[in-house]
Amino acid sequence: MMEHEANANPSHSKITGLPRKRFYRARAHSNPLSDSHFPIPVSPSQVDYSVHYPQLFPSPDKFDGSKRIEFADVGCGFGGLLISLSTVFPESLMIGMELRDKVTEYVKERILALRASNPGQYENISVVRTNSMKYIPNYFEKGQLTKMFFLFPDPHFKEKNHRRRVINLHLLDEYAYVLREGGIIYTITDVEELGVWMNSCLKGHPLFGAVTKEELEADPVVKLLSSATEEGQKVARNGGQTFQAVYRRIVPYVSNCEMH
């Protein structure tokens, strides 16, 4: 009995096998402009799909490029959205991008535990520790993604730190590059000023157009924005308000005068 207890992994639940968050806690946010040390692919062709989706790509030479990552959850936190999306879109490959090392490790362990207890499921999701404000083009080709998620990002309240916000006009150029035409960018926050900021940035960018109210109501993803994440659940428990901005990647209108 004593030996069994000694060999048990205290960081995982004995009942579910899932990792316990308290062993993977980290600061709520990290400085996205600081230089952290982790491997970065030189180009999207160097991303090793066999590491992230071993059941689908048993070895690197099995990857032929016919199936690529389509969804990116930027600042994925503890992975709640990824896990919810996995069963809603079982044919789509998804990846969470997280800067905090302990949180990334938690999501890895969580996915492995879910795969072990649900054979054949959750094989389409993974996580990588990276700085998405610097390295998005290293992971995705032009027009590769169909959905990008920015849920409850760091508000960076001080005006001098607004350049650290994950939604800004400069970074929207990069997101527009990796999103295919018709792809959707989803944002949500419980900070009204940040919600106004993100909506304003997206509205002011020529390559994004607001998704209509009717489309939002029909989109199964929209309901998950506030319910699937730890932050969203906390806001709901406290009776808080959320602010969404959902935009589609569009082709800018060019008049006949401009064409000649």
Side-chain angles (χ1 to χ4, degrees):
M1 181 72 177
M2 292 286 288
E3 184 180 353
H4 172 73
E5 289 179 356
N7 291 332
N9 187 346
S11 66
H12 288 59
S13 166
K14 292 180 182 177
I15 299 171
T16 65
L18 292 170
R20 295 169 171 168
K21 284 179 187 166
R22 62 192 174 97
F23 288 94
Y24 298 87
R25 288 290 176 186
R27 292 178 60 186
H29 300 286
S30 295
N31 179 359
L33 301 183
S34 67
D35 286 315
S36 300
H37 300 287
F38 39 76
I40 304 296
V42 176
S43 69
S45 63
Q46 299 300 308
V47 176
D48 189 347
Y49 276 57
S50 67
V51 170
H52 294 287
Y53 315 102
Q55 195 69 26
L56 303 175
F57 308 99
S59 62
D61 59 347
K62 296 292 183 184
F63 179 68
D64 61 4
S66 60
K67 192 175 182 68
R68 292 183 177 275
I69 294 167
E70 290 186 57
F71 298 1
D73 184 5
V74 178
C76 68
F78 290 99
L81 179 69
L82 280 175
I83 288 160
S84 295
L85 289 173
S86 178
T87 53
V88 178
F89 299 93
E91 299 303 315
S92 298
L93 298 184
M94 317 173 192
I95 197 159
M97 311 182 85
E98 176 58 53
L99 185 56
R100 296 166 293 173
D101 56 346
K102 286 184 179 179
V103 178
T104 306
E105 193 60 34
Y106 171 85
V107 180
K108 283 182 183 177
E109 294 291 334
R110 188 178 184 184
I111 291 171
L112 289 174
L114 285 168
R115 288 174 178 174
S117 58
N118 302 272
Q121 287 188 289
Y122 304 104
E123 301 292 348
N124 61 328
I125 57 174
S126 187
V127 66
V128 64
R129 185 184 179 214
T130 192
N131 188 337
S132 56
M133 290 184 71
K134 290 184 175 183
Y135 303 117
I136 282 281
N138 295 66
Y139 288 90
F140 310 117
E141 305 277 4
K142 180 179 181 181
Q144 177 177 331
L145 299 178
T146 60
K147 296 184 188 296
M148 294 186 79
F149 301 92
F150 300 85
L151 310 191
F152 301 97
D154 190 335
H156 292 293
F157 289 109
K158 295 179 180 178
E159 189 171 347
K160 68 176 183 178
N161 291 333
H162 284 182
R163 65 197 177 100
R164 298 181 181 179
R165 287 180 169 176
V166 74
I167 297 290
N168 62 50
L169 288 173
H170 165 68
L171 287 172
L172 284 177
D173 289 343
E174 292 196 359
Y175 305 154
Y177 178 82
V178 298
L179 270 172
R180 69 184 61 167
E181 292 172 13
I184 299 178
I185 189 167
Y186 299 83
T187 75
I188 188 172
T189 179
D190 59 330
V191 178
E192 184 173 10
E193 187 271 329
L194 179 60
V196 171
W197 164 282
M198 293 194 292
N199 190 65
S200 176
C201 287
L202 284 157
K203 187 176 181 180
H205 197 286
L207 295 179
F208 289 99
V211 174
T212 66
K213 183 180 179 183
E214 291 74 23
E215 289 176 295
L216 291 175
E217 290 173 351
D219 187 345
V221 172
V222 172
K223 298 177 181 64
L224 297 175
L225 300 182
S226 54
S227 65
T229 67
E230 184 184 59
E231 295 91 339
Q233 293 163 9
K234 191 186 300 179
V235 172
R237 282 197 304 269
N238 295 332
Q241 189 176 2
T242 57
F243 307 90
Q244 297 180 6
V246 181
Y247 279 71
R248 176 175 282 108
R249 168 71 162 84
I250 60 172
V251 180
Y253 172 74
V254 179
S255 69
N256 289 331
C257 294
E258 290 176 290
M259 290 175 66
H260 292 295

